[in-house]
Amino acid sequence: MAVSAARPTQEPLEAERAHLAASRAALRAMRADAEQLDIADVTANWVNAEVLRGDIELRIKALADLADTPLFFGRLDYLHSLDEEGESGHRFYIGRRHVHDADGDPMVIDWRAPVSQPFYRATKQDPQDVGLRRRFGYDGGELTAYEDEHLSDPAEAERSSALLQREIERPRVGPMRDIVATIQPEQDEIVRAPLAGSLCVQGAPGTGKTAVGLHRVAYLLYAYRERLARSGTLVIGPNRSFLRYIEQVLPALGELEVRQTTVDELVTAGLRDVQVRGADSPAAALVKGDARMAEVLRRAIRSHVRVPDEGGESLVVVRGSRRWRVPAYELAQLVRELLARDMRYGAAREALPQRIAHAVLVRMERAGEAPDDRVQNAVARNAAVKAAVKEIWPQVDPVKLVLRLLSDADFLAGQAAGLLGEEEQKAILWDRPARGVKSAVWSPADAVLIDEARDLVERTGSLGHVVLDEAQDLSPMQYRAVGRRCSTGSVTILGDIAQGTTPWATPSWAVALGHLGKPEAVVEELTQGFRVPRTVIAYASRLLPAIAPGLAEATSIRDSPGAFEVRRAAPGARAEAAVAACREALAHEGSTGLIAADADLPALGEALTAAGLAHLAPGEETSAGARLTLVPASLAKGLEYDYVVLVEPAAVVAGEPDRRTGLRRLYVALTRAVSGLTVVHAEDLPAELTGCAPRAGERPAG
């Protein structure tokens, strides 16, 4: 018989608590062993000693016992022993990390291990040799309840898990937390997909796509650690506020060294003289982000190559008493061959002196000499050859190239002919040409152009795996920048077409994957929501026909419908109504987010302060004493709060350059709530929301 999570029998509960205490003691012993390691006589030199010492320090950190974090959250009892798979016995406790006793026997199995997989995927229809699946409930770090499923017992009816539901709905205070205890089968399939394949996850709000991406990184580092230790991993998010929100997930799973960055930070890395402090108009940003700019840049770089006049003077190389001539027509042929190969500009420039030297060596051999590689290298370094290469294939500075392209109308016109129209060229030209690299007012889109130019000169290094979150908002040129970082590796793309809130947001994943250089990536769709209440997601989904007509409407597994209310405020009393709604939300457990159009934030901040309600900015960590965050709609993406007060939907829509983008921004704002949403408005709601809006739940703000 299944044991109730609400009223567990005391004897099994005490036994499980005893196992938890013993497991914590074993973890402390593992950490103590790591701290006591003596490496004095096991390394050949000080360099090896430092590397090993760093590895040990990371190991010690990974073995930290977090008091408020359950060491294990589930148990699997297999019907048969799994000795043949390298594990001893048939009972396994599933947790965030592996813990073993003094004899090396496992007390807790890492959730990423193969033996743990049935915890997420086994069902009554496919029990996978699991007799019992037990879930544990915790209050802080204390084990308080458990819940059993006898998967191989046909007499036991299938039912939803109350503990699973409670964990999903647990109040959110502080940064984003891991979901190892609540991963669903369709999520687990994505998490454990092989490293070799690239994946694109289209996920509606609340489907856990960000968590899935982070847990996928943790899984890949477990399953392919040596390979990824050499090639590297990277998580790319939309902004720093978002990264601060998610930054504790991987460390909680024992992965301490995964770099997390934004696209803007990625492309400006190493550009010491480029200060990004400008902003483009929407028209300029659209053109600069267009994939056609890649060809404009390619032309601009190759325009520096000067193919020799075939009737010009020969190149003369002096070696001792002999003079060797390479005719101009042959030099021109060598240059054209390199151009036809479409090599990186820098690589072709390095190859040219060797090609010229080879032509000289051919003449030497015809004259009866027997030159070797050393002679060829010496000829390639000859002053005459170096002077010819400098004239034919001069060095190009990617930063100065982009500076000229955006400052010199004639140069831009020559490179953009047949690609950009006159108005498009005018849109990206600077009104006041900069005097130099340091004084230029660079924009984020300019930095992406520089990154493209750098790659055209010298190939960008590739990582083993990249996770790109909120990918729907990237421009084609930004996709190219990310794609360069995983050209020989794989990528996990996470996003939602309906939440694309930039004018250049991708129209489809097929288009985005083409720009990334990963057209073969498999697209998976997550439509089952775990976070957003059913009534809230249904209300927000009214916008889908206008913002993403091809997407399926998200559903929610939440048994509780969630609190939802639309309040009409009197003219001039909108701020007061918002403050009142915040007070009501703060009466509940968990975090509260007050989301509004960016332009409305100052007035709302003043109203909160006047009312004595302290509030945080996005990215600042909530705590028991500070649970209210004032959020501009432009930064709400990816964040979540237990309760959300959304102020003036019409203003959120009007704050964007076009209506579709505004409605998408509103869709994002409407779907940030975990337990309840209150919409406060004085202006009429957007027609897309009111066309079939129910009258129930609407009342004037009092």
Side-chain angles (χ1 to χ4, degrees):
M1 176 181 287
V3 180
S4 167
R7 301 180 62 185
T9 60
Q10 198 64 19
E11 185 176 342
L13 187 60
E14 289 304 319
E16 300 294 15
R17 286 172 174 165
H19 186 78
L20 176 61
S23 299
R24 290 196 183 279
L27 181 61
R28 290 194 295 271
M30 291 170 62
R31 180 167 179 155
D33 288 344
E35 292 171 335
Q36 294 168 10
L37 285 173
D38 184 1
I39 62 172
D41 299 324
V42 298
T43 55
N45 52 55
W46 69 270
V47 175
N48 290 346
E50 287 299 311
V51 171
L52 183 55
R53 189 173 291 111
D55 290 342
I56 292 173
E57 288 176 358
L58 285 176
R59 171 68 172 165
I60 293 170
K61 289 181 181 178
L63 291 172
D65 186 5
L66 306 178
D68 293 334
T69 302
L71 193 55
F72 56 79
F73 48 81
R75 192 183 102 187
L76 289 177
D77 289 5
Y78 283 90
L79 295 177
H80 304 90
S81 175
L82 302 182
D83 286 337
E84 66 275 9
E85 297 186 15
E87 300 286 356
S88 176
H90 70 279
R91 174 174 295 178
F92 302 95
Y93 288 84
I94 313 301
R96 286 165 174 78
R97 58 175 57 83
H98 178 86
V99 179
H100 60 256
D101 61 18
D103 297 323
D105 293 327
M107 300 190 71
V108 179
I109 297 291
D110 194 303
W111 66 276
R112 297 167 289 187
V115 72
S116 303
Q117 182 172 309
F119 182 79
Y120 302 107
R121 300 210 195 166
T123 63
K124 295 286 288 187
Q125 293 73 34
D126 180 22
Q128 300 183 26
D129 200 44
V130 174
L132 171 73
R133 174 167 56 199
R134 175 169 288 178
R135 299 181 190 274
F136 296 103
Y138 286 83
D139 183 3
E142 182 184 353
L143 197 160
T144 57
Y146 67 89
E147 185 179 70
D148 286 348
E149 297 173 86
H150 295 87
L151 298 178
S152 299
D153 182 359
E156 181 178 286
E158 190 168 10
R159 53 174 169 56
S160 60
S161 167
L163 285 179
L164 181 65
Q165 185 82 10
R166 192 168 77 186
E167 175 63 21
I168 291 172
E169 297 177 359
R170 184 157 55 94
R172 284 150 170 77
V173 175
M176 182 181 181
R177 58 180 184 254
D178 67 70
I179 62 165
V180 287
T182 61
I183 294 174
Q184 298 299 293
E186 64 271 23
Q187 295 175 323
D188 191 63
E189 289 181 12
I190 295 171
V191 167
R192 297 177 192 263
L195 173 63
S198 290
L199 285 174
C200 177
V201 182
Q202 158 62 40
T207 54
K209 55 185 177 294
T210 295
V212 165
L214 294 173
H215 288 68
R216 175 159 170 72
V217 171
Y219 171 77
L220 293 176
L221 287 170
Y222 174 89
Y224 306 92
R225 190 168 299 279
E226 289 188 9
R227 192 189 312 179
L228 290 177
R230 295 191 300 269
S231 57
T233 55
L234 180 67
V235 174
I236 304 175
N239 52 59
R240 268 288 141 194
S241 295
F242 178 84
L243 292 179
R244 283 192 292 270
Y245 178 62
I246 69 169
E247 65 184 356
Q248 295 303 317
V249 173
L250 287 169
L253 298 174
E255 302 301 340
L256 306 174
E257 288 200 301
V258 178
R259 182 182 165 208
Q260 301 182 14
T261 188
T262 66
V263 173
D264 290 346
E265 292 170 351
L266 191 67
V267 298
T268 55
L271 297 177
R272 290 178 296 177
D273 296 332
V274 175
Q275 300 296 321
V276 177
R277 57 181 187 271
D280 288 310
S281 67
L286 274 170
V287 178
K288 289 180 180 180
D290 195 288
R292 291 173 295 167
M293 288 301 300
E295 177 60 21
V296 173
L297 288 165
R298 192 185 76 89
R299 289 182 183 179
I301 286 178
R302 291 163 70 93
S303 71
H304 290 77
V305 178
R306 303 179 183 94
V307 180
D309 183 354
E310 295 190 5
E313 296 183 0
S314 300
L315 169 64
V316 179
V317 178
V318 179
R319 289 274 301 172
S321 61
R322 302 293 301 270
R323 297 163 66 87
W324 307 97
R325 295 179 182 275
V326 181
Y329 75 84
E330 190 169 345
L331 289 176
Q333 182 179 355
L334 292 176
V335 173
R336 290 194 186 97
E337 287 176 356
L338 287 174
L339 287 172
R341 292 188 61 185
D342 203 23
M343 301 167 63
R344 293 296 194 282
Y345 187 90
R349 189 178 190 277
E350 292 176 0
L352 181 57
Q354 290 291 336
R355 298 295 182 90
I356 295 173
H358 178 73
V360 172
L361 260 65
V362 169
R363 285 162 172 77
M364 289 181 176
E365 291 170 348
R366 288 174 181 169
E369 297 188 18
D372 56 18
D373 290 345
R374 290 174 297 177
V375 175
Q376 178 167 333
N377 291 333
V379 173
R381 295 192 298 269
N382 181 275
V385 174
K386 290 168 73 174
V389 171
K390 184 177 180 180
E391 175 67 23
I392 296 170
W393 213 292
Q395 288 186 328
V396 172
D397 183 329
V399 180
K400 292 180 179 177
L401 176 89
V402 175
L403 180 74
R404 182 184 177 194
L405 203 61
L406 300 177
S407 304
D408 186 336
D410 292 336
F411 183 60
L412 175 61
Q415 311 313 315
L419 291 171
L420 304 180
E422 290 185 12
E423 291 302 315
E424 290 176 314
Q425 294 177 37
K426 288 180 182 178
I428 65 174
L429 277 169
W430 288 336
D431 295 332
R432 295 182 180 178
R435 289 176 294 179
V437 171
K438 291 185 178 180
S439 62
V441 182
W442 300 99
S443 71
D446 297 334
V448 177
L449 296 180
I450 293 171
D451 190 71
E452 179 83 25
R454 283 196 295 184
D455 184 72
L456 289 166
V457 173
E458 184 176 354
R459 182 182 295 276
T460 305
S462 175
L463 297 164
H465 193 76
V466 172
V467 172
L468 175 62
D469 205 353
E470 300 296 349
Q472 72 281 342
D473 276 338
L474 269 61
S475 70
M477 291 298 286
Q478 288 175 316
Y479 282 125
R480 290 175 62 87
V482 174
R484 287 190 281 276
R485 270 73 182 184
C486 54
S487 58
T488 60
S490 55
V491 62
T492 299
I493 305 105
L494 311 166
D496 180 9
I497 296 295
Q499 296 185 61
T501 51
T502 56
W504 49 83
T506 189
S508 72
W509 290 123
V511 171
L513 293 170
H515 293 312
L516 272 166
K518 303 291 183 183
E520 77 289 349
V522 175
V523 180
E524 301 282 357
E525 188 169 2
L526 296 175
T527 59
Q528 190 174 57
F530 309 98
R531 173 175 56 80
V532 184
R534 190 176 303 150
T535 52
V536 173
I537 195 64
Y539 186 70
S541 293
R542 296 178 181 182
L543 299 175
L544 286 178
I547 62 176
L551 291 185
E553 182 176 332
T555 59
S556 177
I557 68 166
R558 301 277 295 273
D559 289 334
S560 57
F564 172 62
E565 191 172 5
V566 179
R567 300 183 182 181
R568 182 101 194 200
R574 187 177 65 188
E576 291 82 353
V579 169
C582 287
R583 287 192 188 279
E584 294 175 21
L586 290 169
H588 301 281
E589 271 191 285
S591 59
T592 295
L594 175 57
I595 304 177
D598 293 32
D600 290 341
L601 252 64
L604 289 170
E606 291 176 4
L608 290 174
T609 301
L613 293 180
H615 54 278
L616 307 169
E620 295 180 331
E621 188 172 322
T622 56
S623 64
R627 298 186 291 120
L628 174 61
T629 304
L630 181 57
V631 186
S634 62
L635 293 181
K637 189 172 297 178
L639 304 179
E640 60 182 30
Y641 302 93
D642 289 289
Y643 291 85
V644 166
V645 177
L646 174 61
V647 179
E648 208 60 82
V652 173
V653 175
E656 299 298 328
D658 60 85
R659 187 164 184 82
R660 190 196 71 163
T661 302
L663 289 171
R664 286 183 167 185
R665 184 76 71 189
L666 176 59
Y667 181 76
V668 170
L670 286 168
T671 53
R672 300 304 94 200
V674 176
S675 296
L677 169 68
T678 300
V679 178
V680 175
H681 68 105
E683 301 177 31
D684 289 340
L685 292 169
E688 291 81 358
L689 280 180
T690 60
C692 55
R695 297 297 173 224
E698 294 195 24
R699 68 176 177 82

